[in-house]
């Protein structure tokens, strides 16, 4: 019996070693060739599959989500607010349909204005799912390569820059948001000739790095894309400087940027097809 | 063979739930990790081998929609499944103990993730642990909603099919304080 137990332990360890080895091999293969078509095709197929299911889930669970959001908001709001909401609920019901249409109109009008102003060729998309990984900031949109969406295309909303397409499946695509910690956006501060790199943080905020301490930056300054880096065209609005300081121990300035985008509730957006800055890799 | 099909179905279903329905129940930016809870459930009911193989599958699925490399989650989840499989299910006397275990394994999962992330040069700051703690609490809170259906399905489908299944049935019956007689 004891011998059997030992054999079982050995078997378990061999299985563990085999799976760990397989995982290490996968990591190694991926880092040697991140654009491996096999892995990319698998990722795209998964995104497409999940998008199909998500569309159905959205229909079923949207009311539940609204309820959940309400519960969370309730915990943070004052009791007075709840009473007022109850009084207004009758009126809200009557106005609900109208306000939904009005809000949608406003969003779409905003998107159209962005398009006209910048003369971009765009594809309109809707967010159907957000990242399930707590350490990543991404969304899945309902447009894929069949509608012309490609990897590295920037994604914007009327409030500002959202991110870039990282995986374009045939029916759906994955967008890495600028709040992701591994996202890097070449940015500049308007009117100050200050350029830097905008990165996301774990609390979904934005920080601008690589700005020298001698540069003058003030709260409220506008931050836009600089066009460097080969992904985002120059001049896309990102947000405003919320905080700028020069810590004694740091090499660079600490600049906190606030976006007007509500990254927790993304809806309609535009994928910019063209004109895009030249791709650095293609220039090589 | 039947058991492996069962793990496969449970992990795939949990992954789909995690990535579709889970997004509707975000607490700030934290999504309940249904896949991890299902993995811990299988590993506890069965053994290290089942835990490691289910962990590999769960991690691989997570890697497929991850922005960060490929294989990192497969590595960390294989370890989690194996460690969870070492724990004797009979030790878990009630659902509260299981919730505590899920809390611990979420922290451990993040620790493994941080270690691998460090090796492949991802940036980690103090906020990582703050969100890891919130995720651990949230996962623990919802863990019975995943664990009890998994145990129920296990009892229904597998306990009569094999000797191993019967043993696990006895274990899992202890866990949920009863079960099918």
């Amino acid at each position: 019996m004891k011998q059997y137990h030992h054999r079982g332990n050995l078997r378990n360890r061999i299985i563990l070693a085999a799976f760990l080895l397989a995982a290490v091999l996968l990591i190694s293969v991926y880092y040697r060739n991140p654009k491996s078509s096999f892995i990319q095709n698998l990722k795209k197929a998964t995104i497409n599959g999940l998008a199909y299911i998500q569309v159905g889930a959205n229909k079923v669970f949207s009311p539940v989500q609204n309820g959940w959001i309400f519960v969370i908001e309730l915990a943070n709001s004052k009791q007075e607010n709840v009473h007022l909401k109850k009084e207004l609920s009758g009126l809200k019901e009557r106005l609900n349909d109208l306000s939904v249409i009005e809000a949608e109109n406003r969003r779409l009008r905003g998107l159209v204005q962005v398009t006209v102003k910048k003369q971009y060729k765009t594809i309109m998309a809707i967010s159907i799912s957000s990242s399930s990984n707590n350490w990543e900031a991404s969304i899945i949109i309902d447009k894929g390569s069949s509608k012309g969406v490609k990897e590295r295309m920037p994604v914007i909303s009327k409030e500002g820059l959202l991110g870039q397409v990282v995986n374009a499946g045939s029916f759906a695509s994955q967008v890495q948001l600028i709040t992701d910690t591994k996202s890097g956006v070449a940015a500049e501060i308007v009117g100050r000739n200050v350029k830097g790199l905008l990165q996301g943080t774990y609390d979904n905020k934005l920080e601008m790095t690589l700005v020298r301490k001698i540069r003058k930056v003030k709260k409220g300054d506008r931050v836009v894309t600089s066009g460097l880096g080969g992904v985002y065209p120059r001049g896309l609005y990102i947000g405003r400087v919320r905080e700028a300081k020069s810590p004694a121990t740091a090499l660079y300035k600490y600049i906190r940027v606030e976006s007007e985008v509500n990254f927790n509730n993304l809806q309609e957006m535009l994928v910019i097809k063209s004109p895009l800055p030249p791709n650095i890799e293609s220039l090589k | 063979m039947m058991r492996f099909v069962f793990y496969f179905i449970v992990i795939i279903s949990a992954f789909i739930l995690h990535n579709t329905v889970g997004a509707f129940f975000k607490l700030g930016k934290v999504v309940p990790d249904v896949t991890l809870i299902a993995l811990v459930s299988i590993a506890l009911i069965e053994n290290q081998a089942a835990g490691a193989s289910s962990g590999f599958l769960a991690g691989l699925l997570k890697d497929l929609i991850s922005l960060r490399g490929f294989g990192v989650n497969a590595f960390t989840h294989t370890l989690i499944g194996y460690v969870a499989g070492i724990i004797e299910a009979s030790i878990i006397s009630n659902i509260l103990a299981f919730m505590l275990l899920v809390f611990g394994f979420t922290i451990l999962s993040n620790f493994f993730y941080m270690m691998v992330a460090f090796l492949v040069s991802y940036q980690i700051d103090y906020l990582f642990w703050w969100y890891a703690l919130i995720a651990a609490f949230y996962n623990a809170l919802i863990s019975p909603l995943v664990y009890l259906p998994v145990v129920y399905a296990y009892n229904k489908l597998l306990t009569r099919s094999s000797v191993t299944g019967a043993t696990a049935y006895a274990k899992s019956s202890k866990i949920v304080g009863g079960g099918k007689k």
Side-chain angles (χ1 to χ4, degrees):
Chain A
M1 184 68 190
K2 199 176 176 183
Q3 194 183 1
Y4 171 79
H5 185 66
H6 276 298
R7 226 183 274 165
N9 271 346
L10 184 68
R11 188 178 135 262
N12 287 338
R13 283 175 195 165
I14 290 169
I15 289 171
L16 173 70
F19 280 122
L20 288 181
L21 188 69
V24 170
L25 277 173
L26 285 174
I27 295 171
S28 170
V29 165
Y30 180 82
Y31 279 96
R32 273 170 187 270
N33 182 15
K35 288 181 179 172
S36 154
S37 59
F38 176 68
I39 293 174
Q40 289 304 325
N41 286 341
L42 268 179
K43 284 193 167 202
K44 284 170 189 172
T46 310
I47 290 164
N48 275 337
L50 282 175
Y52 271 123
I53 301 168
Q54 187 66 48
V55 170
N58 281 347
K59 284 178 188 162
V60 178
F61 285 96
S62 284
V64 181
Q65 185 189 28
N66 293 339
W68 177 245
I69 290 169
F70 178 74
V71 168
I72 291 172
E73 280 178 358
L74 195 66
N76 297 328
S77 62
K78 293 174 184 173
Q79 211 171 358
E80 276 180 39
N81 198 15
V82 178
H83 284 298
L84 285 170
K85 277 183 179 173
K86 276 181 185 173
E87 283 177 27
L88 285 170
S89 63
L91 280 169
K92 273 187 176 175
E93 270 177 41
R94 286 164 61 191
L95 287 170
N96 191 35
D97 288 343
L98 191 65
S99 62
V100 168
I101 293 164
E102 194 187 341
E104 194 179 331
N105 265 338
R106 212 180 304 128
R107 286 197 303 269
L108 294 174
R109 222 177 291 133
L111 286 175
V112 170
Q113 276 170 4
V114 170
T115 318
V116 171
K117 198 175 163 186
K118 300 285 184 185
Q119 297 293 312
Y120 294 128
K121 282 187 181 173
T122 58
I123 302 159
M124 197 190 143
I126 293 169
S127 167
I128 52 173
S129 173
S130 58
S131 173
S132 59
N133 185 325
N134 299 332
W135 317 126
E136 297 175 1
S138 68
I139 52 167
I140 293 177
I141 57 171
D142 68 338
K143 297 288 187 309
S145 54
S146 61
K147 299 282 180 188
V149 175
K150 289 178 186 166
E151 271 109 24
R152 298 168 65 89
M153 282 182 171
V155 183
I156 57 169
S157 73
K158 75 179 175 73
E159 289 91 6
L161 182 66
L162 297 182
Q164 64 166 309
V165 176
V166 285
N167 269 314
S170 45
F171 309 108
S173 305
Q174 191 176 25
V175 176
Q176 180 185 37
L177 300 175
I178 55 171
T179 50
D180 186 74
T181 52
K182 286 288 275 181
S183 155
V185 182
E188 69 175 273
I189 294 171
V190 178
R192 295 194 185 272
N193 194 24
V194 173
K195 288 186 172 66
L197 184 71
L198 198 81
Q199 289 187 308
T201 64
Y202 282 108
D203 54 348
N204 273 357
K205 302 274 167 53
L206 297 166
E207 276 178 22
M208 196 165 164
T209 58
L210 305 179
V211 176
R212 293 172 68 187
K213 284 183 180 177
I214 53 165
R215 299 288 190 185
K216 280 187 180 172
V217 177
K218 280 189 178 173
K219 187 179 173 184
D221 282 351
R222 278 168 58 90
V223 182
V224 298
T225 51
S226 68
L228 302 172
V231 175
Y232 303 102
R234 190 177 184 192
L236 292 178
Y237 178 68
I238 298 170
R240 286 183 184 275
V241 173
R242 187 187 168 87
E243 191 185 359
K245 57 185 178 186
S246 304
T249 52
L251 282 172
Y252 298 104
K253 255 186 155 36
Y254 170 84
I255 301 171
R256 193 93 165 171
V257 177
E258 191 167 62
S259 168
E260 287 162 27
V261 178
N262 178 5
F263 286 98
N264 290 324
N265 186 25
L266 294 170
Q267 295 180 36
E268 294 91 358
M269 59 202 68
L270 295 172
V271 181
I272 298 179
K273 276 176 82 175
S274 64
L276 295 176
N279 186 337
I280 289 172
E281 282 173 22
S282 66
L283 291 175
K284 286 177 187 171
Chain B
M1 183 61 192
M2 180 68 179
R3 283 185 301 149
F4 282 97
V5 174
F6 177 77
Y7 309 151
F8 186 81
I9 291 170
V10 168
I11 294 294
I12 295 264
S13 311
F15 175 75
I16 291 171
L17 273 176
H18 181 189
N19 287 282
T20 52
V21 182
F24 292 107
F25 296 94
K26 267 189 169 181
L27 197 65
K29 68 172 278 183
V30 174
V31 179
D33 195 341
V34 181
T35 317
L36 181 76
I37 301 167
L39 166 63
V40 174
S41 306
I42 288 174
L44 278 176
I45 296 169
E46 285 280 19
N47 53 25
Q48 296 101 304
S53 50
S54 304
F56 184 78
L57 174 67
L60 205 62
L61 289 170
K62 283 186 174 183
D63 282 324
L64 283 172
I65 53 157
S66 170
L67 300 172
R68 314 264 193 279
F70 193 77
V72 175
N73 284 306
F75 189 91
T76 58
H77 282 61
T78 302
L79 282 174
I80 288 290
Y82 186 84
V83 175
I86 293 169
I87 297 169
E88 280 288 323
S90 53
I91 294 170
I92 316 302
S93 54
N94 58 38
I95 204 71
L96 195 67
F98 177 75
M99 289 165 77
L100 280 172
L101 267 180
V102 168
F103 180 90
F105 277 115
T106 308
I107 296 286
L108 192 66
S109 161
N110 286 304
F111 177 73
F112 287 151
Y113 183 87
M114 191 199 75
M115 296 299 282
V116 180
F118 180 74
L119 288 173
V120 290
S121 73
Y122 301 161
Q123 285 180 333
I124 302 284
D125 63 25
Y126 74 98
L127 282 170
F128 179 90
W129 288 110
W130 170 243
Y131 283 109
L133 205 62
I134 297 173
F137 272 114
Y138 198 18
N139 282 350
L141 199 69
I142 67 142
S143 60
L145 298 176
V146 180
Y147 181 60
L148 295 176
V150 170
V151 171
Y152 179 80
Y154 188 91
N155 289 339
K156 274 272 184 198
L157 299 169
L158 293 180
T159 49
R160 287 172 193 167
S161 63
S162 69
V163 177
T164 320
T167 316
Y169 165 62
K171 285 181 181 178
S172 58
S173 298
K174 272 188 182 176
I175 300 162
V176 292
K180 202 175 67 170
K181 302 286 175 190

